[in-house]
Amino acid sequence: RVSRHPPRLISRPVIIALSVCFPPFNRPIMRISFFQGGYSGNVDDNMKLMESYVAQAASQNSQLIVFCELFTTGYNVGDLLVKYAEPCDGATYQRVSQIAKQNRIAILYGYAEMFDSQLYNSAMLVDSEGHPLVNYRKTHLYGPYERKYFKPGDSFPPPIVTVSDIKIGLCICWDIEMVEPARILALQGAQLIVAISANTSPFVTEITVRSRAFENQCFLCYVNKIGIENNLDFCGGSCLVASNGDFLAQARGRASTNDGPDIAFELVTADIDMHRIDYTATRNSNPFFQDRRPELYTIYHHHSK
C-alpha cells in the first residue's frame, strides 16, 4: 500500500454515543460500525482485516458493520478485478457468512461479482445469521475505467431490507451523487441509506452526502476508500449523517480538503436513534414528501440533457 506516511493501525474503535438519556424500549435504535481501509489486490488479507474488525464491532454491540466499495479486491487494480471476481454465493460470501454468524452481526461489503460471464461492481448484505439479505449491482457506472470492466446493474431500487428494526436501502458510489436513487429509496421506505464508495472528491463526503440525508429525511452512512492505489488518491472521510444533515460520526482519516492524516485502518461506531426530538422537529418543519408534486415531474423521466 502506498501512502504519504506509514499507515497507523487504530486499535480502539471510535465510539460515539448519541442518546442523551435512556430511550423507550420500543424506540428503533441501531448501533452501526463502518470500517475505512483495506489492501490493494489482496483478497485474503482483506478478509483477515474483515474478520478482525467485525469482531471489534461485535464487541461494541454493533448490529451492522459496513466495508467500502470493492473492499475485497481493491478498486483501481485493473485486470485483478476479473481475476478475483466471484459469484455472489462464492468463496468470499461463504467466508463472510461464517464471520457474520460467529459474531452475530450483519455485514455489508463491496466485491467484484461474476455472473453469466459479466463483471459487476456489487454490494452484498449478509444478516447476523449468515444469510444473504440483498445483492445489489451498481447501476450508475462512473467514467471509462468502470465502463471498461463492469456491466451496469439493470434493476433499481434494490429491495429495502430490515436490520435491527431499521429499513435499509443500498447505493454504490456514483449512485449517491445522482439525485434520483436516494429519493427513490426514501420513497420506498428506507430510513437508512448505506452508500459504499471509492471516491477521490472530498466535496462528496462533506457536502453531497449531507444534502442527500437532509433532502430525503433519512440517515446516510457513507463508507469510502482511503489512500493511494495505482495513482488514484482516495480521500476517505467516511461518515454517518443524520436525517437533519448533521454529521453523527466521521472517520479521522483525511477528507477535509484532502489533507488530513493517512490513517490506514479505522473503525467508527455510532448509534442511530430514529426518533430523537431534534430529528423529528426537522422532519416536521421540512415536509418535503408531503409537498412534492409528482404529477408535474413525469414529463422529465426520460429527458436527457
Side-chain angles (χ1 to χ4, degrees), residues 32-56:
I32 183 171
S33 294
F34 51 91
F35 175 73
Q36 182 172 277
Y39 296 112
S40 177
N42 193 321
V43 175
D44 190 57
D45 281 355
N46 283 325
M47 294 307 298
K48 290 175 182 176
L49 272 182
M50 178 185 286
E51 196 164 10
S52 173
Y53 281 94
V54 166
Q56 289 191 44

CSV table of all heavy atoms in Angstrom, one decimal, residues 32-56:
chain,number,residue,atom,x,y,z
A,32,ILE,N,-24.3,1.1,14.6
A,32,ILE,CA,-23.6,0.7,13.3
A,32,ILE,C,-22.2,1.1,13.4
A,32,ILE,O,-21.7,2.0,14.0
A,32,ILE,CB,-24.3,1.5,12.2
A,32,ILE,CG1,-23.7,1.2,10.8
A,32,ILE,CG2,-24.3,3.0,12.4
A,32,ILE,CD1,-24.5,1.8,9.6
A,33,SER,N,-21.4,0.2,12.8
A,33,SER,CA,-19.9,0.4,12.7
A,33,SER,C,-19.6,0.5,11.2
A,33,SER,O,-20.2,-0.1,10.3
A,33,SER,CB,-19.1,-0.7,13.3
A,33,SER,OG,-19.3,-0.8,14.7
A,34,PHE,N,-18.6,1.3,10.9
A,34,PHE,CA,-18.1,1.3,9.5
A,34,PHE,C,-16.5,1.3,9.5
A,34,PHE,O,-15.9,1.9,10.4
A,34,PHE,CB,-18.6,2.4,8.6
A,34,PHE,CG,-18.5,3.8,9.2
A,34,PHE,CD1,-17.4,4.6,8.9
A,34,PHE,CD2,-19.6,4.3,9.9
A,34,PHE,CE1,-17.4,5.9,9.4
A,34,PHE,CE2,-19.5,5.6,10.4
A,34,PHE,CZ,-18.4,6.4,10.2
A,35,PHE,N,-16.0,0.6,8.6
A,35,PHE,CA,-14.5,0.4,8.5
A,35,PHE,C,-14.0,1.1,7.3
A,35,PHE,O,-14.4,1.0,6.2
A,35,PHE,CB,-14.1,-1.1,8.4
A,35,PHE,CG,-12.7,-1.3,8.2
A,35,PHE,CD1,-11.8,-1.2,9.3
A,35,PHE,CD2,-12.2,-1.7,7.0
A,35,PHE,CE1,-10.4,-1.4,9.1
A,35,PHE,CE2,-10.8,-2.0,6.8
A,35,PHE,CZ,-9.9,-1.8,7.9
A,36,GLN,N,-13.0,2.0,7.5
A,36,GLN,CA,-12.3,2.7,6.5
A,36,GLN,C,-10.9,2.1,6.3
A,36,GLN,O,-10.1,2.3,7.2
A,36,GLN,CB,-12.3,4.2,6.7
A,36,GLN,CG,-11.6,5.0,5.6
A,36,GLN,CD,-11.8,6.5,5.8
A,36,GLN,OE1,-12.8,7.1,5.5
A,36,GLN,NE2,-10.8,7.1,6.4
A,37,GLY,N,-10.6,1.5,5.2
A,37,GLY,CA,-9.3,0.9,5.0
A,37,GLY,C,-9.3,-0.3,4.1
A,37,GLY,O,-10.4,-0.6,3.6
A,38,GLY,N,-8.2,-0.9,3.9
A,38,GLY,CA,-8.1,-2.1,3.1
A,38,GLY,C,-6.8,-2.2,2.3
A,38,GLY,O,-6.1,-1.2,2.2
A,39,TYR,N,-6.6,-3.4,1.7
A,39,TYR,CA,-5.4,-3.6,0.9
A,39,TYR,C,-5.7,-3.6,-0.5
A,39,TYR,O,-6.9,-4.0,-0.9
A,39,TYR,CB,-4.7,-4.9,1.3
A,39,TYR,CG,-4.2,-4.9,2.8
A,39,TYR,CD1,-4.8,-5.8,3.7
A,39,TYR,CD2,-3.1,-4.1,3.2
A,39,TYR,CE1,-4.3,-5.8,5.0
A,39,TYR,CE2,-2.7,-4.2,4.5
A,39,TYR,CZ,-3.3,-5.0,5.4
A,39,TYR,OH,-2.8,-5.0,6.7
A,40,SER,N,-4.8,-3.4,-1.4
A,40,SER,CA,-5.0,-3.4,-2.8
A,40,SER,C,-4.6,-4.7,-3.4
A,40,SER,O,-3.5,-5.2,-3.3
A,40,SER,CB,-4.1,-2.3,-3.5
A,40,SER,OG,-4.2,-2.3,-4.9
A,41,GLY,N,-5.6,-5.4,-4.1
A,41,GLY,CA,-5.3,-6.6,-4.9
A,41,GLY,C,-5.0,-7.8,-4.0
A,41,GLY,O,-4.3,-8.7,-4.5
A,42,ASN,N,-5.5,-7.8,-2.8
A,42,ASN,CA,-5.2,-9.0,-1.9
A,42,ASN,C,-6.4,-9.4,-1.2
A,42,ASN,O,-6.7,-8.9,-0.1
A,42,ASN,CB,-4.0,-8.6,-1.0
A,42,ASN,CG,-3.4,-9.9,-0.3
A,42,ASN,OD1,-4.2,-10.8,0.1
A,42,ASN,ND2,-2.1,-9.9,-0.1
A,43,VAL,N,-7.2,-10.3,-1.7
A,43,VAL,CA,-8.4,-10.7,-1.2
A,43,VAL,C,-8.3,-11.4,0.2
A,43,VAL,O,-9.0,-11.1,1.2
A,43,VAL,CB,-9.2,-11.7,-2.1
A,43,VAL,CG1,-10.5,-12.2,-1.5
A,43,VAL,CG2,-9.5,-11.0,-3.4
A,44,ASP,N,-7.3,-12.2,0.3
A,44,ASP,CA,-7.1,-13.0,1.6
A,44,ASP,C,-6.8,-12.0,2.7
A,44,ASP,O,-7.3,-12.1,3.8
A,44,ASP,CB,-6.0,-14.0,1.4
A,44,ASP,CG,-5.9,-14.9,2.7
A,44,ASP,OD1,-7.0,-15.5,3.0
A,44,ASP,OD2,-4.9,-15.0,3.3
A,45,ASP,N,-5.9,-11.0,2.5
A,45,ASP,CA,-5.5,-10.1,3.5
A,45,ASP,C,-6.7,-9.2,3.9
A,45,ASP,O,-6.9,-8.9,5.1
A,45,ASP,CB,-4.3,-9.2,3.1
A,45,ASP,CG,-3.0,-9.9,3.2
A,45,ASP,OD1,-3.0,-11.0,3.8
A,45,ASP,OD2,-2.0,-9.3,2.8
A,46,ASN,N,-7.5,-8.8,2.9
A,46,ASN,CA,-8.7,-8.0,3.2
A,46,ASN,C,-9.7,-8.8,4.0
A,46,ASN,O,-10.4,-8.3,4.9
A,46,ASN,CB,-9.3,-7.5,1.9
A,46,ASN,CG,-8.6,-6.3,1.3
A,46,ASN,OD1,-8.0,-5.5,2.1
A,46,ASN,ND2,-8.5,-6.3,0.0
A,47,MET,N,-9.8,-10.1,3.7
A,47,MET,CA,-10.7,-10.9,4.5
A,47,MET,C,-10.3,-11.1,6.0
A,47,MET,O,-11.1,-11.2,6.9
A,47,MET,CB,-10.9,-12.3,3.9
A,47,MET,CG,-11.6,-12.3,2.5
A,47,MET,SD,-13.2,-11.4,2.6
A,47,MET,CE,-14.1,-12.4,3.7
A,48,LYS,N,-9.0,-11.1,6.2
A,48,LYS,CA,-8.4,-11.2,7.5
A,48,LYS,C,-8.7,-9.9,8.2
A,48,LYS,O,-9.0,-9.9,9.4
A,48,LYS,CB,-6.9,-11.4,7.5
A,48,LYS,CG,-6.6,-12.9,7.0
A,48,LYS,CD,-5.0,-13.0,6.9
A,48,LYS,CE,-4.7,-14.4,6.4
A,48,LYS,NZ,-3.2,-14.6,6.2
A,49,LEU,N,-8.6,-8.7,7.5
A,49,LEU,CA,-9.0,-7.5,8.1
A,49,LEU,C,-10.4,-7.5,8.5
A,49,LEU,O,-10.8,-7.0,9.6
A,49,LEU,CB,-8.8,-6.3,7.1
A,49,LEU,CG,-7.4,-5.6,7.0
A,49,LEU,CD1,-7.5,-4.5,5.9
A,49,LEU,CD2,-7.0,-5.1,8.3
A,50,MET,N,-11.3,-7.9,7.6
A,50,MET,CA,-12.7,-8.0,7.9
A,50,MET,C,-13.0,-8.8,9.1
A,50,MET,O,-13.7,-8.4,10.0
A,50,MET,CB,-13.5,-8.6,6.7
A,50,MET,CG,-15.0,-8.8,7.0
A,50,MET,SD,-15.9,-9.6,5.7
A,50,MET,CE,-16.0,-8.3,4.4
A,51,GLU,N,-12.3,-10.0,9.2
A,51,GLU,CA,-12.6,-10.8,10.4
A,51,GLU,C,-12.2,-10.1,11.7
A,51,GLU,O,-12.9,-10.2,12.7
A,51,GLU,CB,-11.7,-12.1,10.2
A,51,GLU,CG,-12.1,-13.2,11.1
A,51,GLU,CD,-11.6,-14.6,10.6
A,51,GLU,OE1,-10.7,-14.6,9.7
A,51,GLU,OE2,-12.0,-15.6,11.2
A,52,SER,N,-11.1,-9.4,11.7
A,52,SER,CA,-10.6,-8.7,12.9
A,52,SER,C,-11.5,-7.6,13.3
A,52,SER,O,-11.9,-7.4,14.4
A,52,SER,CB,-9.2,-8.2,12.6
A,52,SER,OG,-8.8,-7.4,13.7
A,53,TYR,N,-11.9,-6.8,12.3
A,53,TYR,CA,-12.7,-5.6,12.6
A,53,TYR,C,-14.2,-5.9,12.8
A,53,TYR,O,-14.9,-5.2,13.6
A,53,TYR,CB,-12.5,-4.5,11.5
A,53,TYR,CG,-11.2,-3.8,11.7
A,53,TYR,CD1,-10.1,-4.2,11.1
A,53,TYR,CD2,-11.1,-2.7,12.6
A,53,TYR,CE1,-8.9,-3.6,11.3
A,53,TYR,CE2,-10.0,-2.1,12.8
A,53,TYR,CZ,-8.8,-2.5,12.2
A,53,TYR,OH,-7.6,-1.8,12.4
A,54,VAL,N,-14.7,-7.0,12.3
A,54,VAL,CA,-16.0,-7.4,12.6
A,54,VAL,C,-16.1,-7.9,14.1
A,54,VAL,O,-17.0,-7.5,14.8
A,54,VAL,CB,-16.5,-8.6,11.7
A,54,VAL,CG1,-17.7,-9.3,12.2
A,54,VAL,CG2,-16.8,-8.1,10.3
A,55,ALA,N,-15.1,-8.6,14.5
A,55,ALA,CA,-15.0,-9.0,15.9
A,55,ALA,C,-15.0,-7.7,16.8
A,55,ALA,O,-15.6,-7.7,17.9
A,55,ALA,CB,-13.8,-9.9,16.2
A,56,GLN,N,-14.2,-6.7,16.4
A,56,GLN,CA,-14.2,-5.5,17.3
A,56,GLN,C,-15.6,-4.8,17.3
A,56,GLN,O,-16.0,-4.4,18.3
A,56,GLN,CB,-13.1,-4.5,16.7
A,56,GLN,CG,-11.7,-4.9,16.9
A,56,GLN,CD,-10.7,-3.8,16.6
A,56,GLN,OE1,-10.9,-2.7,16.9
A,56,GLN,NE2,-9.7,-4.2,15.9
